[in-house]
Amino acid sequence: GCPNGRSIAFSRSGRRPDNSDLFTYLLGEGVEPPLAGASGLDNNPSWSPDGSTIYVVSNPEVPWGSGDLWAVPVANPGARRGF
């Protein structure tokens, strides 16, 4: 979970098996809209120590590509960057 102890990050598949998105769940409030709306699979989310970023393994070229590590800023998910 998030270092603040109030949120968790998770990936969830949609209707298509070749797509999953990154979500957060704020305890007591519920699921937020998807953070990472990129196509492909977003898996294995992990919080940064300060809670500002979620790192995720993303594979936009399912099933052929290999997953790459991406940083998704919680405050600005559109600014996600790959490594």
Side-chain angles (χ1 to χ4, degrees):
C2 181
N4 71 13
R6 297 192 58 225
S7 300
I8 59 170
F10 64 96
S11 61
R12 180 173 67 189
S13 295
R15 294 184 182 147
R16 296 176 21 205
D18 62 346
N19 189 57
S20 64
D21 289 317
L22 179 63
F23 293 84
T24 59
Y25 182 90
L26 184 59
L27 300 176
E29 295 188 28
V31 176
E32 297 291 321
L35 283 178
S39 63
L41 298 173
D42 291 329
N43 291 308
N44 304 317
S46 181
W47 291 91
S48 64
D50 67 1
S52 67
T53 303
I54 300 172
Y55 296 95
V56 64
V57 176
S58 185
N59 185 356
E61 298 177 16
V62 173
W64 303 281
S66 62
D68 294 316
L69 182 63
W70 288 80
V72 182
V74 175
N76 185 11
R80 67 187 274 162
R81 65 186 191 283
F83 293 94

